[in-house]
Amino acid sequence: MTSPANDRRKGSDTAPLLTVDNLTVTFQRRGQEPFRAVDGVSFSVRPGQTVGLVGESGCGKSVTSLAIMGLLPKRGNQVTGTVDYEGTNLLTLSDDDMRDRRGKDIAMVFQDPLSSLNPVIPVGLQVTEVLERHRGIKRKDAMPMAADLLKRVGIPDPNRRIKDYPHQMSGGMRQRALIAIALACAPRLLIADEPTTALDVTIQAQILALLKELVEDTGTALIMITHDLGVVAGLCDEVNVLYGGRIVERGDRHPIFREPRHPYTNGLLGSIPRLDTVGERLTPIPGSVADNLPWDHACAFAPRCSQPVEVCTTNTPTLEESGGRALRCFNPVEVAR
Amino acid sequence: MTNPLKKYGDARKERIDQLAAMSDGSVAVADAGTIEEAPGVSLIASAWRRLRRNPVFLTGLTITTLFIFLAVFARVIAPHDPAIGYLLDKVRPQSNPIPGPEPGFPLGADNVGRDFFSRLIVGSQQTLIVGVFATLFGLTGGLILGILAGATSGWVDSLVMRAVDVMLSIPSLLLALSISALAPRPSQWTLIIAIATVQVPVFARLLRGTMLQQRSSDHVLAARALGIKRSSIVFRHMVPNALGPVIVQATIVLATSIIDAAALSFLGLGNPDDRQPEWGQMLGQAQQFIYDDPHLAFYPAACIIIVALGFTLMGESLREALDPKSRR
Ligand SMILES: Nc1ncnc2c1ncn2[C@@H]1O[C@H](COP(=O)(O)OP(=O)(O)O)[C@@H](O)[C@H]1O
Ligand code: SF4
Ligand SMILES: [Mg+2]
């Protein structure tokens, strides 16, 4: 539920903070055809907006986020397109310039909170490290700030907890600490790559609520990456559905949930548990990404699609924009009226 | 075609890589998290908690502690000066070359009348010095090469690792022997350098392996995502987490350096001055009396074995404690 004030702040007239345009990541594989993990992905995020990237495992979500952050391996892949951050193409920045921006302008929260923390450094020092790095604050002065940050993400007794090693914290608390570290330098954009996947269901809800609260308080733009449409439902303003490295459907949260047009989105919605359909069988999408056709001359989803038509296996559907939504499908789901 | 040197080298590489693969320290620590612990407890404390219940580790620890204590205070503990032939007048080359035990000289004397018991005790000093310095130098060299190879990639890495692999394929004692034979005058320092050189490639390969694991770890990716400087990534985020197996290896290496040092001294490649006793050297000198006075060989040999065993027990239980697969 967004308040009118929020709507105004992230109104569509504000210029985007980040614009990803035609991003393509190709992995060279020894003795095999090159593999396009991300294939012409475009989307944008405005200040204060939360944009979801949703899709099954392997559809290219993490590769997209790593490409934006400039964290893909140096060798073995090719990144094309542009990632425009307020007029600067991040993809053409030098290593040093990009390093100066990471953690300061753009930060990231990863999936596994335990392995994402350095096991031999107390959590407090991992917070002060970023403050020292980007804001030139001395460790002594950064310590109380670290405690404040931990308190802000809901870690009780922060003055004691800053001395804890990661293994002394619970999973939820670790993820809170990682969020505190990511937000320490008040970045304007946060990328959260499956931030709740490794957590218990009850903790998941808490972490999502925390993220929502923080981005709303600070006006941070958020790219929320998940395979779980349920996560997107409560958090995102806009949803991008990825399949096989391409965006197949985009729209604001409510229209997407109310009337999904792409058969894949529809299938994803059919496979999340809902309160109002308790007891009904969930219908997972049949098959797996291994069945994909190449996008070059077909719809990659065709082998798993519930309503393919002939042209689906001979032509590539294009992403058509209309009325604030985008759709890549020859035979979209009928809108029930 | 099977080349025995290649086979030997491959076997050693495999063992090192196993050690590198078994743990990056963080895994072991992560597991320890299931035990409820007070905040602020350090990682070393939680590793110690696991180890102090392990009888094998405690045995090793006891032996090594006793040995180190003995070596450090050898001059105080030894009842006599190991260089003075107190019982020289009892040595009769024809009838009685080795004076037997008598009051004040519990193990008798050697062939020039020096107190054998005191020589054994003081001999621990040289053994400790050679073992510790050889390991330290080997570790330092290995750390430098390993960090260099593991932190960079490309030609530096390839060059270092090619050299390391060549050295690994030469049997270690043979290599140490050749190096110390090159020295114009043998001394304990040529011994130390020879043995250290042999350990350098072992530590280098080990550390490179654990550094590479760290480089692809989640927490290093997370640190890179925060824009942390490259030097901090290497020295704060990679090296400390890569050291676990290296510590284990260092303990095991102490055992092998002690044995190697004894072997080289035995062959006369150690300190030639026998006023400063050393177990391997004593063992070498005992050869000529082996039929009539085997105890002269037995005691230094037993000392070498016990001390090497102590370090091995300690090293192997450390290895086990760090290995997530072998831990219950
Ligand atoms: N470094 C890499 N080299 C080769 N292929 C990769 C690499 N990283 C990811 N991929 C491939 O790219 C595809 C997308 O991966 P990813 O973005 O991690 O998926 P997800 O949407 O689950 O985050 C997968 O098929 C994966 O195998
Ligand atoms: S293009 Fe065809 S195969 Fe692809 S989703 Fe639409 S209907 Fe299904
Ligand atoms: Mg992923």
Side-chain angles (χ1 to χ4, degrees), chain A residues 61-62 111 193-194:
Chain A
K61 306 181 297 289
S62 296
Q111 172 168 343
D193 188 353
E194 312 243 9

Side-chain angles (χ1 to χ4, degrees), chain A residues 1 19 22 30 41 44 65 98 107 109 136 196 199 202 248 289:
Chain A
M1 198 67 58
T19 307
N22 202 18
R30 208 170 296 154
V41 164
S44 64
S65 60
M98 193 59 208
V109 175
T196 59
L199 303 173
T202 46
V248 294
V289 286

Side-chain angles (χ1 to χ4, degrees), chain A:
Chain A
M1 198 67 58
T2 45
S3 68
N6 275 337
D7 279 336
R8 215 170 305 123
R9 200 176 59 210
K10 40 187 137 166
S12 46
D13 47 328
T14 4
L17 178 67
L18 183 89
T19 307
V20 176
D21 186 39
N22 202 18
L23 181 70
T24 302
V25 180
T26 314
F27 288 107
Q28 273 86 39
R29 298 177 301 183
R30 208 170 296 154
Q32 284 180 61
E33 289 280 285
F35 173 70
R36 258 177 286 149
V38 178
D39 197 354
V41 164
S42 305
F43 63 93
S44 64
V45 194
R46 293 189 300 274
Q49 192 189 24
T50 296
V51 170
L53 291 185
V54 190
E56 287 168 320
S57 161
C59 71
K61 306 181 297 289
S62 296
V63 172
T64 305
S65 60
L66 293 177
I68 295 172
M69 296 290 289
L71 288 173
L72 285 170
K74 282 229 168 49
R75 268 179 280 263
N77 63 70
Q78 195 190 356
V79 183
T80 59
T82 57
V83 176
D84 181 287
Y85 182 94
E86 290 198 316
T88 314
N89 182 3
L90 298 183
L91 297 184
T92 57
L93 280 184
S94 71
D95 283 356
D96 287 341
D97 289 344
M98 193 59 208
R99 194 176 301 122
D100 286 340
R101 285 175 177 258
R102 286 198 292 262
K104 185 163 132 242
D105 294 339
I106 313 180
M108 194 162 168
V109 175
F110 292 90
Q111 172 168 343
D112 183 349
L114 178 59
S115 64
S116 300
L117 287 163
N118 185 338
V120 301
I121 300 183
V123 170
L125 285 186
Q126 303 192 45
V127 185
T128 56
E129 184 176 28
V130 218
L131 293 169
E132 289 171 52
R133 164 71 176 94
H134 291 296
R135 293 178 50 189
I137 299 169
K138 292 212 182 67
R139 183 178 295 179
K140 179 165 55 71
D141 304 324
M143 265 303 175
M145 298 175 71
D148 276 353
L149 280 160
L150 292 189
K151 190 170 165 204
R152 212 171 101 208
V153 296
I155 293 181
D157 203 356
N159 284 312
R160 205 169 63 116
R161 284 298 184 177
I162 50 176
K163 300 192 194 83
D164 272 14
Y165 289 88
H167 73 278
Q168 293 167 320
M169 293 185 150
S170 67
M173 210 171 329
R174 284 177 202 134
Q175 193 59 295
R176 286 172 190 271
L178 276 173
I179 292 172
I181 294 171
L183 294 180
C185 294
R188 301 190 50 208
L189 175 66
L190 179 67
I191 303 178
D193 188 353
E194 312 243 9
T196 59
T197 306
L199 303 173
D200 295 346
V201 183
T202 46
I203 311 288
Q204 281 187 12
Q206 291 172 15
I207 295 291
L208 289 176
L210 173 71
L211 272 174
K212 188 180 160 93
E213 182 195 318
L214 288 172
V215 296
E216 276 177 8
D217 283 358
T218 56
T220 309
L222 174 65
I223 298 179
M224 182 73 196
I225 294 178
T226 178
H227 66 276
D228 181 357
L229 263 181
V231 166
V232 170
L235 203 61
C236 298
D237 303 305
E238 181 189 287
V239 181
N240 291 276
V241 182
L242 253 79
Y243 190 83
R246 295 194 184 195
I247 290 179
V248 294
E249 185 165 20
R250 162 173 38 244
D252 287 346
R253 164 174 49 149
H254 292 299
I256 287 266
F257 276 86
R258 224 176 4 239
E259 42 195 51
R261 304 289 319 276
H262 197 280
Y264 178 61
T265 317
N266 196 31
L268 284 179
L269 280 171
S271 59
I272 47 171
R274 296 165 57 132
L275 280 180
D276 54 350
T277 56
V278 178
E280 264 178 50
R281 273 195 57 177
L282 300 174
T283 45
I285 303 167
S288 75
V289 286
D291 305 323
N292 286 3
L293 292 178
W295 279 112
D296 299 331
H297 47 79
C299 169
F301 186 58
R304 304 171 64 193
C305 183
S306 56
Q307 52 190 66
V309 288
E310 209 167 304
V311 66
C312 299
T313 52
T314 56
N315 286 42
T316 308
T318 53
L319 192 66
E320 306 286 350
E321 312 240 4
S322 80
R325 290 185 68 165
L327 182 65
R328 186 192 295 277
C329 181
F330 290 121
N331 183 25
V333 178
E334 289 300 321
V335 181
R337 286 277 167 206

